């Protein structure tokens, strides 16, 4: 996953990148700029990207249950999700964390589960497991990504779905105080002028996302 950043930067025209990252895609940009604050990323928009894991009890329970799989060199997530794709979102507790199903077409849910997942390297999985268990956001070398975000001075847009269980607003909003540059924070829900209360995956694949979410990012 982290190889994605140098690939994008090497392919970018004039080394001028506007980074839009959903979930871990936002963490990738944070991590890269925390270590390399002079990288040519000029602005960031993150959708459902948590900065800590203190309010996702179901995720912690799920990770403890599947912890043995993190000992593998490669976690076969793609195969696992393809097995459940025909029935839609996985059952409780993890399914509701992936999306607010009320905001998505059933066919889109099945297609997404089947096609957008990828296998995860065991080392990446173990790093996330450590983050969730310890509350830290660090590298194997002890580098503190959260503390280093003060070096990130590019404009950042933070989008949080009010019904997002994987990255609830209280895990997204604190990023404002950690970043060193201008930050805009937007909650996506009916109480904030939107037509739907957004969850996680529906921030990008929801029925109304092209009309409501994408213009905010743009």
């Amino acid at each position: 996953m982290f190889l994605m950043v140098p690939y994008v930067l090497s392919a970018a025209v004039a080394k001028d990148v506007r980074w839009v990252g959903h979930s871990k895609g936002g963490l990738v940009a944070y991590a890269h700029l925390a270590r390399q604050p002079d990288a040519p990323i000029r602005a960031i928009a993150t959708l459902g990207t948590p900065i800590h894991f203190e309010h996702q009890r179901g995720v912690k329970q799920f990770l403890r249950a599947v912890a043995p799989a993190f000992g593998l060199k490669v976690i076969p997530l793609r195969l696992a999700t393809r097995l459940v794709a025909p029935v839609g979102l996985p059952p409780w507790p993890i399914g509701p964390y992936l999306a607010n199903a009320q905001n998505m077409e059933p066919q889109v849910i099945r297609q997404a589960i089947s096609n957008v997942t990828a296998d995860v390297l065991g080392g990446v999985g173990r790093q996330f497991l450590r983050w969730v268990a310890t509350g830290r956001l660090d590298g194997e070398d002890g580098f503190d990504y959260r503390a280093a975000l003060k070096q990130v001075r590019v404009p950042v847009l933070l989008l949080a779905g009010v019904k997002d269980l994987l990255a609830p607003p209280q895990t997204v909003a604190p990023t404002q105080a950690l970043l060193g540059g201008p930050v805009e924070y937007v909650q996506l829900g009916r109480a904030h002028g939107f037509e739907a209360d957004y969850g996680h995956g529906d921030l990008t694949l929801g029925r109304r996302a092209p009309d409501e979410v994408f213009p905010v990012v743009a």
Side-chain angles (χ1 to χ4, degrees):
M1 185 70 173
F2 289 94
L3 295 176
M4 178 172 63
V5 179
Y7 173 78
V8 171
L9 297 184
S10 67
V13 177
K15 301 292 184 179
D16 191 7
V17 175
R18 273 73 169 171
W19 187 279
V20 179
H22 176 259
S23 194
K24 187 167 66 173
L27 281 175
V28 168
Y30 293 161
H32 188 73
L33 280 173
R35 286 189 181 265
Q36 301 186 48
D38 295 327
I41 299 176
R42 305 305 179 204
I44 302 171
T46 66
L47 301 90
T49 296
I51 201 62
H52 63 76
F53 303 91
E54 297 174 8
H55 298 278
Q56 300 99 322
R57 183 177 299 175
V59 172
K60 294 181 180 182
Q61 294 172 342
F62 176 76
L63 289 178
R64 283 197 294 267
V66 300
F70 290 87
L72 300 173
K73 184 176 181 180
V74 177
I75 303 168
L77 186 61
R78 187 166 179 79
L79 174 61
T81 54
R82 284 193 166 184
L83 291 175
V84 302
V87 298
L89 287 177
W92 182 267
I94 197 62
Y97 283 77
L98 300 180
N100 182 353
Q102 295 180 351
N103 292 339
M104 297 180 66
E105 298 293 345
Q107 182 179 356
V108 172
I109 293 175
R110 291 192 293 270
Q111 290 174 332
I113 292 173
S114 180
N115 294 300
V116 307
T117 55
D119 292 341
V120 176
L121 294 176
V124 174
R126 289 188 292 275
Q127 185 174 32
F128 268 95
L129 194 63
R130 186 178 74 247
W131 288 355
V132 171
T134 65
R136 292 181 55 81
L137 211 66
D138 58 357
E140 290 289 342
D141 58 358
F143 183 86
D144 189 335
Y145 291 105
R146 200 180 280 125
L149 286 181
K150 278 296 179 187
Q151 302 180 77
V152 179
R153 303 191 181 279
V154 301
V156 178
L157 170 66
L158 308 173
L159 299 183
V162 298
K163 288 293 184 69
D164 191 338
L165 301 182
L166 195 58
Q170 59 266 46
T171 69
V172 177
T175 314
Q176 298 176 91
L178 298 173
L179 293 163
V183 183
E184 182 180 359
Y185 171 67
V186 178
Q187 287 192 45
L188 295 144
R190 292 187 175 92
H192 304 278
F194 295 88
E195 294 296 322
D197 288 333
Y198 284 84
H200 195 66
D202 45 302
L203 285 169
T204 57
L205 297 174
R207 293 186 184 95
R208 300 175 180 85
D211 298 321
E212 291 200 307
V213 183
F214 299 174
V216 177
V217 173

